Amino acid sequence: MYLASLLLTSLLVVQAYAQCTPLPSPLPAFDDLSVMTTLPDPFTFYNGTPLASTDDWACRQQEIKTLVQEYFYGYYPDTSNETVTATVAQGWQGQTLAITITSGAKTVSFNATLTLPAGASASAPVPALITLGGFGPTADGAAAIAFDAAPIAYDGSQKTGAFWELYEGDIGVLTAWAWGFHKIIDALEVAVPEVDVARVGVAGCSRYGKAALAAGFFDERIALTIPLSSGFMGMAPFRFQYEANGANEQISDLDDTSGSWGNDVLLTFKADVMRLPIESTFLTAGVAPRALIWDEGTTDYWTNPEGTAAVTFPATLALYDWLGAGDQVGVSLRNSGHCDPSGNANVAPFINRVFYGTETTRNYHDISPFTAHTETFPWSAPSE
Ligand SMILES: *[C@@H]1O[C@H](CO)[C@@H](O)[C@H](O)[C@H]1NC(C)=O
Ligand SMILES: *[C@@H]1O[C@H](CO)[C@@H](O)[C@H](O)[C@H]1NC(C)=O
């Protein structure tokens, strides 16, 4: 019965996308692209046709997801041959979630730590926050799952770790780390009935914030995406820098390590980022309308706080509002630097609202001390 309905659902999805106009194949490379000095318009199809209504969003979002994979993340691997098993082992420091992934003749394993709140049970399952890299918010009454990057994928161009044992190709490390988040959700589904998989959040800071965003972008199971101090390749626009008070990271800064977080195609745009067909707002468009809250320090100049707050946020909000989900997106600014613990506290009320419906008076649409750079998004949502 369950399998039958699962098959039916995937058939319906395939049918829905079959009605979408296909993108050109191959997509144009750097030399064949022209300069675009604004954020790309999420409300117009690749072929120039404006979206008529929100019924068009599924096809447009699919296009956006393909463009982002082509020009930045690399294509997410076909994981249909994977079998994921997991066990929960009690250790002296808490519980270990031991995860094994088999695909064809290959088997890989990695571990995460699992902390369940008192009272969690299969009959009263709790939400969960999965954090990569050791820094992120906690939520009262929720399970906390933590994992490290290196067992999934080495942080750099050396392709070692569980992901690279199974997959190859021009794929960025952020996509590999995103896969790690997804395998943990698979493991929760099979081995941790105390967790309600419909209420899972993903978090990380800095490069791991970029990875949390990638995780939310690729996996519809993720209810809440929480990138902290994520900066360039995260919430900061690729095109627009605001450097009056300090340098912002930009494409020309990518080196052997940060240059491996995306694919090699992205690096061809070092010659002129204005030709890049995607933007930070296409990353958030991949998550929409699921819940998304990000944190940024106003003195953390390298992460381009003004760009994330005054460009990415209002342009993302325009999309969420059109989808009827404006309250599902927010930004939280603080007057401090990189990966500051106060950022964790600031996003907690938003997390509680998503997980438990607890209302908050905090205004997550407040971008002060900045004002929206509306010149960067001269388009607007279709009126219905
Ligand atoms: C899945 O496994 C089959 C049998 O080994 C193989 O032919 C196929 O290419 C694999 N598919 C993917 C997506 O790896
Ligand atoms: C994972 O944890 C289990 C149980 O504590 C341990 O036996 C195993 O060696 C660990 N595996 C890895 C890949 O670290």
Side-chain angles (χ1 to χ4, degrees):
M1 199 52 209
Y2 175 67
L3 190 63
S5 66
L6 207 69
L7 282 174
L8 187 63
T9 310
S10 45
L11 274 177
L12 289 174
V13 168
V14 168
Q15 263 174 14
Y17 294 142
Q19 288 159 11
C20 301
T21 307
L23 287 171
S25 179
L27 283 160
F30 178 83
D31 286 337
D32 299 317
L33 288 158
S34 45
V35 163
M36 176 169 43
T37 57
T38 65
L39 298 173
D41 179 357
F43 302 113
T44 301
F45 282 108
Y46 187 88
N47 69 7
T49 309
L51 274 63
S53 77
T54 52
D55 292 344
D56 286 336
W57 178 242
C59 282
R60 178 57 175 147
Q61 188 179 44
Q62 202 58 22
E63 281 191 355
I64 288 172
K65 286 188 173 183
T66 301
L67 294 169
V68 170
Q69 290 176 88
E70 172 76 19
Y71 295 107
F72 171 31
Y73 284 146
Y75 285 91
Y76 197 85
D78 181 341
T79 59
S80 55
N81 278 351
E82 288 181 1
T83 306
V84 177
T85 56
T87 56
V88 177
Q90 189 65 48
W92 62 277
Q93 271 187 321
Q95 292 182 307
T96 297
L97 182 60
I99 304 165
T100 299
I101 303 109
T102 301
S103 185
K106 292 178 180 163
T107 296
V108 296
S109 305
F110 72 96
N111 284 354
T113 62
L114 168 68
T115 310
L116 286 170
S121 70
S123 56
V126 294
L129 274 182
I130 308 171
T131 303
L132 170 63
F135 182 93
T138 53
D140 289 340
I145 295 129
F147 72 116
D148 293 327
I152 309 298
Y154 178 81
D155 187 2
S157 54
Q158 172 193 320
K159 294 187 169 179
T160 58
F163 179 85
W164 298 119
E165 287 181 40
L166 299 184
Y167 302 111
E168 58 183 17
D170 184 16
I171 303 173
V173 169
L174 297 179
T175 301
W177 289 339
W179 174 86
F181 279 100
H182 305 154
K183 293 312 104 186
I184 290 175
I185 299 174
D186 292 344
L188 294 174
E189 285 180 343
V190 297
V192 190
E194 297 89 346
V195 164
D196 175 8
V197 180
R199 288 182 292 165
V200 167
V202 293
C205 199
S206 197
R207 65 196 64 187
Y208 306 128
K210 308 176 210 295
L213 176 59
F217 175 93
F218 281 114
D219 194 333
E220 298 282 328
R221 294 176 299 178
I222 293 170
L224 172 59
T225 302
I226 314 168
L228 309 156
S229 302
S230 65
F232 190 75
M233 294 169 137
M235 287 302 177
F238 286 90
R239 283 174 171 66
F240 305 108
Q241 280 80 39
Y242 302 93
E243 304 192 295
N245 297 307
N248 301 163
E249 187 175 24
Q250 47 192 288
I251 199 164
S252 54
D253 295 308
L254 294 181
D255 60 18
D256 190 49
T257 299
S258 53
S260 69
W261 295 340
N263 61 8
D264 291 342
V265 177
L266 179 69
L267 301 178
T268 64
F269 290 86
K270 276 187 160 183
D272 186 0
V273 77
M274 290 292 176
R275 294 200 201 179
L276 186 65
I278 64 150
E279 255 301 345
S280 55
T281 45
F282 274 19
L283 312 183
T284 59
V287 178
R290 287 172 290 129
L292 170 64
I293 176 72
W294 73 91
D295 147 271
E296 214 68 47
T298 55
T299 62
D300 188 8
Y301 305 116
W302 191 243
T303 62
N304 191 357
E306 182 161 351
T308 77
V311 177
T312 306
F313 181 73
T316 297
L317 180 61
L319 173 63
Y320 271 75
D321 274 339
W322 179 65
L323 294 169
D327 64 338
Q328 297 299 299
V329 65
V331 65
S332 173
L333 299 175
R334 53 185 163 71
N335 181 22
S336 55
H338 200 55
C339 297
D340 189 291
S342 63
N344 291 332
N346 289 344
V347 298
F350 191 98
I351 296 172
N352 287 335
R353 179 151 57 80
V354 173
F355 280 174
Y356 308 112
T358 314
E359 283 310 321
T360 170
T361 53
R362 194 180 172 113
N363 179 5
Y364 286 104
H365 292 178
D366 179 8
I367 61 167
S368 62
F370 306 115
T371 11
H373 287 289
T374 52
E375 74 283 3
T376 64
F377 51 104
W379 35 261
S380 56
S383 47
E384 301 224 22

